[in-house]
Amino acid sequence: MAKAAQKRVTRRQVSRVKYNENSDHSDDSETSDFEPDNNSDQDDEPVAENSTTPKKKMLDMLKSPRKRKAKNQVTSPSKRKSKPTIAPRSIHRINAIAPVTPLRRREHERTEPATQYELARERLHVSAVPDSLPCREVEFSDIMGFLESAVESGTGTCVYISGVPGTGKTATVLEVMRHLQHRSEQKELPEFDFVEINGMKVTDPNQAYSILWECLNKSDSGGPPRRVTSAHALDLLEARFSAPNDRQKTTVVLMDELDLLVTKKQTVMYNFFEWPNRPNSKLIVVAIANTMDLPERMLTNKISSRMGLTRINFQPYTFPQLYQIVESRLEGIDAFEPEAVEFAARKVSAVSGDARRALDICRRAVEIVESRQQQINTATKSTHVTIGIINDTIKEMLASPTVSFLQTCALHQKLFIVSVLQCVRRSGLGDVEFGEAVRYHIQACRWYHIQPPTTSDLMRVCESLGQARALVIEGGRMDLTMRISMNMSEQDVIMGCKGDQIVGKLLNSK
């Protein structure tokens, strides 16, 4: 009996020691997995109540988990690929995802050389990286000057770049980073890190804190990044950029699509533009947006003042610049007539000046010519892309689906849409009654000597247009007081119906 009581006292004391120590270290969730189970060996040995030997052993086991220690050790840091001696074509980003090995493809040996059409399609693709960026030499030199001086001196700065889409903003900045990284590899500039944050790739603007901290922590430790929350990353970044550190490298942050990173309180913008002004940050922020007056229109004065005066605006490409861009990609390829490229450049420059749109038009024109060539005869001589093919391509790519739908509608469908539009014009309201549109439709048929349909026929016409989403019809009722509203713009209706002689006259009448 005495021996059994002694065993119960022993188990009770050991479990009490375990509970007390685990409660003190409740944050460490992995300690229970690493604790050796020695209860069966200790049951036969008496434990004195005043003895502290089991408690010390338990503390040692809890404070030094074997698995946690092995997890934090980095035995073989990942080796970066060595850059070539010339300016590299790939940019080394800290936040670059590990390359994914693609699926194995069957390689077929080409028995015939690539045709002119295939070469043109490859070079005219938007994702194709050219050897150089033409027509942006001035902007390239400006950005290069700002970033080179900031990296060389180790000071923080902000550069704001604006311009409409397709003007080469991101491509120019990435080209500057290639040259700066090449000079850094040649020991002509100090080492620096490059981080890219795209507003299109984050679900929450606050994720920018986590991305920046994980990249900086990965660069310092050389191992895998440690995941932290956005709030914790903000605190860590505040401490990092406030304390002096001689071993800290300069960091260049590219914030693309800045318009999508604006929040209601604008804290993300404020922090990213305030950190470069601190003397110990060594942070360079390059912000890219599509609007030139974003700081004055959407940001507060305290953010605009911290952004600084270093601003570069990319103007839309002009006709000669677009012509030069397309011709530089088609160098050595005989697939286009010179007048066709000039026509495409003029059309795009008159609308938007988007270089990507010009490349897409020319590439689609090559596909059309290639398909026609295969349908006629593969043995015949290849034809060039002409102005007519470019014109057909532009109509195909720039045509609105609404206009195409209206052009295929029947006469009474067009008349009913125009009747609803005229009733909306007269009333000034967003919707009208079905009976009012029916009366206008029948009156218009009498004006132009067309046999007017019945009310039930117009009800079926209205239903067909509602199913096509050309009109928005009030649900739950099909009578004369049913409300109808337009689901297309007035300009689309005019463009789609102006080719019809009767409907075109009805549109011009007020």
Side-chain angles (χ1 to χ4, degrees), residues 344-484:
R346 288 186 182 276
K347 282 290 186 179
V348 176
S349 63
V351 177
S352 61
D354 191 343
R356 293 175 294 190
R357 178 57 61 89
L359 294 175
D360 289 338
I361 291 175
C362 294
R363 188 172 185 270
R364 177 57 183 159
V366 172
E367 293 175 353
I368 293 175
V369 172
E370 189 176 11
S371 62
R372 292 179 182 178
Q373 189 75 13
Q374 293 176 356
Q375 292 176 359
I376 298 174
N377 188 4
T378 56
T380 58
K381 185 179 179 180
S382 61
T383 58
H384 293 78
V385 178
T386 60
I387 294 179
I389 297 175
I390 292 290
N391 193 24
D392 295 341
T393 306
I394 293 174
K395 290 180 180 179
E396 176 186 338
M397 297 183 64
L398 302 183
S400 172
T402 305
V403 176
S404 302
F405 168 76
L406 289 173
Q407 290 175 350
T408 58
C409 287
L411 175 61
H412 284 288
Q413 287 179 326
K414 294 180 182 178
L415 283 176
F416 191 80
I417 291 175
V418 174
S419 301
V420 176
L421 178 61
Q422 293 290 4
C423 293
V424 169
R425 285 177 177 177
R426 291 180 178 182
S427 63
L429 302 176
D431 53 359
V432 295
E433 291 185 355
F434 172 73
E436 185 180 356
V438 167
R439 288 190 293 270
Y440 189 93
H441 186 107
I442 295 175
Q443 185 65 33
C445 291
R446 292 173 180 172
W447 290 341
Y448 296 101
H449 306 287
I450 302 174
Q451 183 178 359
T454 61
T455 304
S456 60
D457 293 337
L458 290 179
M459 180 64 72
R460 287 192 290 270
V461 170
C462 183
E463 287 179 357
S464 64
L465 294 174
Q467 292 174 358
R469 304 301 298 170
L471 299 176
V472 178
I473 304 174
E474 182 183 3
R477 59 188 310 173
M478 299 294 291
D479 52 12
L480 294 177
T481 58
M482 178 179 60
R483 308 297 296 184
I484 306 171

Side-chain angles (χ1 to χ4, degrees), residues 196-216:
E196 183 177 359
I197 301 174
N198 195 320
M200 295 287 291
K201 299 179 181 179
V202 296
T203 57
D204 183 18
N206 292 319
Q207 290 181 0
Y209 299 135
S210 303
I211 295 174
L212 181 57
W213 170 251
E214 289 170 6
C215 295
L216 295 180

Side-chain angles (χ1 to χ4, degrees), residues 150-151 153-157 190-193 216 240-253 275-285:
V151 170
S153 60
T155 58
T157 185
E191 293 184 359
F192 65 94
D193 296 328
L216 295 180
R240 179 188 179 94
F241 295 140
S242 301
N245 188 359
D246 297 335
R247 296 180 300 175
Q248 180 178 339
K249 294 189 295 185
T250 302
T251 304
V252 180
V253 180
W275 286 331
N277 296 320
R278 298 183 181 181
N280 302 317
S281 65
K282 294 184 179 181
L283 182 67
I284 303 173
V285 176

Side-chain angles (χ1 to χ4, degrees), residues 295-306:
E296 290 77 17
R297 185 166 55 89
M298 298 183 65
L299 304 180
T300 58
N301 293 331
K302 64 178 182 179
I303 301 178
S304 302
S305 61
R306 284 164 173 77

